[in-house]
Amino acid sequence: MGMSGRDAPIKEVDAEVLRLISTKVDSLLMLSETDGELRNYALKFKLEQAVDQTAFQAKREEGEEMLHLQRVLQRMADLALHIAPHILRRTRRHRTSKCLAGSKNASGDGSSTPADGRASDSIPRNSSVEDVCDGSEAWLETGAHLSYASVELLCLILVCHPRLVKALQMYLLRCGVLAYVADALSIPCEHEIAFFQEGYRTEHMRLIANLTLDNREACSSVVGNPALLSAVLTSTRFDEENPGMVEWAEFCIRNLCCCTSEAHDKIRGLLPVGVSDESKKLLAGRADCQLTPEGKLVLTQPCTTKTKS
């Protein structure tokens, strides 16, 4: 495990990143008030932060600043790793229930709803925050922002202090961050566009890239997860909904190949299974392409039929 604190100078912390982290946390705590479960977790977070800060101020000793910073960053990571999966689960539930409702309506089997037209599992009202019910525009917008800000917070935490990178990477791995990322990247395009904001996959790819930087354990975990490795490789294709995703995916692949020979061998041994529609459109009229049984791409001149004048 990397250096975790006492002898690492606090002055090496990136002040601008700390400012961004503080802004993200404030935003997450405020928006969590719109969701019953998140509201309770946000309250727990605030209490733990207050107790820790009070104890630190009362018994501050030389060299304790870095240990305190690490604890605070880990607690913020816990907050993000509670919010992001929660939003993913609730959008998945809503999408499923909406599909079921559509099927029932199509078959003429209408189901009763509460008198005010809200779903029975709508988010509870908070006196200081506008009521946000499931499926409403505010609900969608709030959830999208919570998800994006949570993943962005995790990325920022990893680059906050150069001497805490390895310790924080390992902490996130122990907290199951890769299981969440694999789940988040497994959703279909329709789900992503309907419930999350632009750059959803880009931020998750950025997180994987930061986790795998000079970290053999993280790289081995990614390579050992077929779904996650596939998500990284397919992210090298341009996606207009996720600007910057290709660059982060390439950075991640570089990390994987530099840290473990297993990744290098596995990626090198992959065979293409088909030609994408984008490639076919790009080559249309210029060349015909096909794959051999060995997975080799063969380009030939397009067939042209000449007609007699």
Side-chain angles (χ1 to χ4, degrees):
M1 187 171 177
M3 184 177 297
S4 59
R6 191 177 296 275
D7 53 348
I10 191 70
K11 65 181 180 181
E12 291 183 23
V13 70
D14 190 318
E16 176 60 19
V17 172
L18 270 186
R19 186 190 67 78
L20 292 173
I21 287 175
S22 179
T23 300
K24 295 297 175 188
V25 171
D26 288 344
S27 177
L28 289 175
L29 292 175
M30 180 184 69
L31 292 177
S32 291
E33 292 294 321
T34 63
D35 183 293
E37 179 181 330
L38 295 184
R39 186 187 309 127
N40 292 334
Y41 194 89
L43 177 59
K44 175 177 176 289
F45 172 86
K46 292 176 184 177
L47 290 174
E48 290 178 349
Q49 284 284 82
V51 170
D52 190 27
Q53 181 66 21
T54 301
F56 172 67
Q57 293 292 349
K59 298 182 179 180
R60 175 180 293 189
E61 297 179 7
E62 185 177 354
E64 288 292 320
E65 291 87 354
M66 283 297 295
L67 292 173
H68 176 65
L69 174 62
Q70 183 175 337
R71 287 197 304 270
V72 170
L73 292 174
Q74 288 175 345
R75 192 175 299 114
M76 291 175 173
D78 291 340
L79 176 68
L81 283 175
H82 185 86
I83 292 175
H86 174 76
I87 297 299
L88 183 60
R89 287 192 300 269
R90 85 176 194 181
T91 58
R92 186 174 277 141
R93 286 196 304 266
H94 181 75
R95 187 167 182 263
T96 300
S97 63
K98 191 174 181 180
C99 290
L100 291 174
S103 299
K104 289 182 179 180
N105 290 336
S107 63
D109 181 19
S111 57
S112 60
T113 57
D116 61 358
R118 297 176 190 163
S120 59
D121 58 342
S122 60
I123 298 173
R125 172 181 292 276
N126 181 278
S127 58
S128 61
V129 180
E130 178 186 0
D131 191 32
V132 183
C133 60
D134 285 12
S136 69
E137 185 175 346
W139 183 84
L140 292 171
E141 184 177 348
T142 301
H145 185 78
L146 279 167
S147 172
Y148 191 91
S150 295
V151 180
E152 193 173 16
L153 174 59
L154 292 173
C155 294
L156 290 170
I157 286 172
L158 289 173
V159 297
C160 179
H161 197 294
R163 302 203 191 187
L164 288 179
V165 173
K166 185 64 179 294
L168 292 170
Q169 285 175 329
M170 298 308 296
Y171 181 78
L172 290 180
L173 290 175
R174 291 195 301 273
C175 290
V177 65
L178 289 181
Y180 158 69
V181 173
D183 191 26
L185 293 176
S186 71
I187 64 174
C189 182
E190 296 79 9
H191 186 170
E192 176 189 345
I193 293 175
F195 293 98
F196 299 102
Q197 67 185 59
E198 182 182 277
Y200 171 83
R201 290 181 184 272
T202 299
E203 281 304 300
H204 284 84
M205 201 53 54
R206 175 189 174 195
L207 177 57
I208 301 176
N210 286 336
L211 282 167
T212 54
L213 179 63
D214 298 326
N215 191 309
R216 183 178 297 274
E217 294 88 343
C219 289
S220 295
S221 296
V222 172
V223 174
N225 187 323
L228 198 51
L229 180 59
S230 176
V232 172
L233 296 176
T234 55
S235 293
T236 55
R237 292 171 54 185
F238 174 76
D239 181 352
E240 61 182 11
E241 294 291 332
N242 290 281
M245 180 180 69
V246 172
E247 290 76 11
W248 283 114
E250 291 174 347
F251 183 32
C252 182
I253 293 172
R254 184 199 71 84
N255 291 343
L256 297 177
C257 292
C258 287
C259 281
T260 169
S261 58
E262 180 187 359
H264 187 275
D265 294 340
K266 183 170 288 190
I267 294 174
R268 188 176 183 179
L270 292 175
L271 294 176
V273 295
V275 180
S276 68
D277 292 337
E278 293 90 340
S279 297
K280 290 178 180 178
K281 290 180 181 178
L282 183 65
L283 294 171
R286 302 178 183 179
D288 292 330
C289 55
Q290 58 183 352
L291 291 176
T292 67
E294 295 77 25
K296 183 178 180 180
L297 180 65
V298 177
L299 297 178
T300 58
Q301 290 295 325
C303 296
T304 56
T305 303
K306 294 183 178 181
T307 58
K308 294 182 179 181
S309 56

